[in-house]
Amino acid sequence: MNIIKNYQENRRKFLLKSARTIGLVVLGGLTWSAYLSEVKATSLILRPPAALKEDDFLATCIKCGLCVEACPFDTLKLAKPGDNLPLGIPYFIPRDIPCYMCVDIPCVPICPTNALDEKLVKNKDNEFEIRQMEMGVAIVDEKSCVAFWGIQCDACYRACPLLGEAINIVYEKNERTGKHAFLKPVVDSDICTGCGLCEKACITEKPAIFVLPKDVALGKVGNHYIKGWDKADEQRLKDANATKGVTNINKKSAIDSLNSGLEDLLDD
């Protein structure tokens, strides 16, 4: 009887342990899959100033939250479950609270791992330079911006901390009325820091000017084209590979090329 009783007891314990193990594995799998699905949403996230490239930032940030605590305007947040973002990583939403471009950039030097790299926001004199903050770039939706309708609005222009530089107002005659003018905001992507003050100030229900990461918002010319009048741009030729090709049309005279395909008509 004791042998049977011990067998049943051991069997019960084994089944309970197996069930617990299976439960933990399933829970871990669900948690990990949820995390992976959130990581996929990272391409549109705006990071604090001086953040490394996204992959390097995710690998270097230890989720300590010190940059969030250092921000005097509560701009920065730590991603929590349900935010559809990598958990514990700092980010900000300009429409809620933009970056107010602190001169001393307190969120950066406090970072213990250099995920926020001071060198990216310091000038040649080793001083913090707010103009070097590259959090993103503002994009104007011309169809939703009332200034492109002919309604006078310069809210984004006035809100920009680099007034008259990152955002310019371009005058254009309103041909429809003949007596009014468009005052259109135009963003200089080389100067815009992506602080989001313009997005916060936008008067439309959903902002007609909004900040996106530069890698998402801007194209890339590559080394195939250069600005011939810009000596600095010519430096990109150092990385270019010359290729030479000859097409069939190069082998024909201009007259033959023009007449190509008309042989049947000429025979008639």
Side-chain angles (χ1 to χ4, degrees), residues 16-226:
L16 285 173
K17 286 182 179 179
S18 298
R20 290 194 189 103
T21 302
I22 293 172
L24 289 172
V25 170
V26 172
L27 179 60
L30 290 173
T31 303
W32 182 245
S33 63
Y35 174 75
L36 288 178
S37 67
E38 290 187 337
V39 169
K40 292 177 183 177
T42 61
S43 62
L44 298 179
I45 299 175
L46 296 177
R47 298 301 184 196
L52 301 176
K53 294 293 184 181
E54 185 68 9
D55 289 343
D56 294 331
F57 180 74
L58 291 175
T60 308
C61 176
I62 59 173
K63 310 176 184 179
C64 64
L66 290 176
C67 59
V68 175
E69 292 181 10
C71 179
F73 296 100
D74 296 326
T75 298
L76 298 178
K77 303 177 180 181
L78 285 184
K80 59 185 184 299
D83 285 341
N84 291 323
L85 304 173
L87 298 177
I89 303 294
Y91 72 103
F92 74 102
I93 301 175
R95 190 63 162 177
D96 294 340
I97 308 177
C99 173
Y100 284 92
M101 303 265 291
C102 306
V103 175
D104 56 347
I105 320 179
C107 59
V108 175
I110 202 169
C111 179
T113 64
N114 288 328
L116 305 180
D117 190 352
E118 287 188 38
K119 296 191 295 293
L120 299 178
V121 285
K122 281 190 171 180
N123 59 26
K124 61 182 180 180
D125 297 321
N126 203 36
E127 299 171 335
F128 284 113
E129 176 55 71
I130 59 174
R131 292 172 179 269
Q132 293 178 205
M133 298 165 67
E134 291 191 2
M135 295 164 283
V137 63
I139 302 296
V140 178
D141 177 6
E142 298 182 3
K143 289 194 174 182
S144 299
C145 176
V146 296
F148 283 78
W149 296 8
I151 298 174
Q152 185 173 344
C153 176
D154 59 1
C156 60
Y157 171 78
R158 295 295 174 188
C160 181
L162 302 177
L163 188 66
E165 297 181 61
I167 301 179
N168 292 292
I169 297 295
V170 175
Y171 170 89
E172 185 178 306
K173 184 179 179 181
N174 188 334
E175 298 293 347
R176 181 178 63 83
T177 65
K179 56 183 179 180
H180 299 99
F182 294 105
L183 299 175
K184 301 178 178 180
V186 176
V187 177
D188 188 329
S189 60
D190 289 332
I191 298 176
C192 177
T193 65
C195 68
L197 283 161
C198 57
E199 181 175 336
K200 177 68 174 177
C202 184
I203 65 171
T204 55
E205 181 178 340
K206 183 178 179 182
I209 184 169
F210 46 87
V211 179
L212 294 174
K214 281 194 172 184
D215 289 344
V216 175
L218 302 181
K220 185 176 181 180
V221 176
N223 296 321
H224 301 292
Y225 303 96
I226 64 165

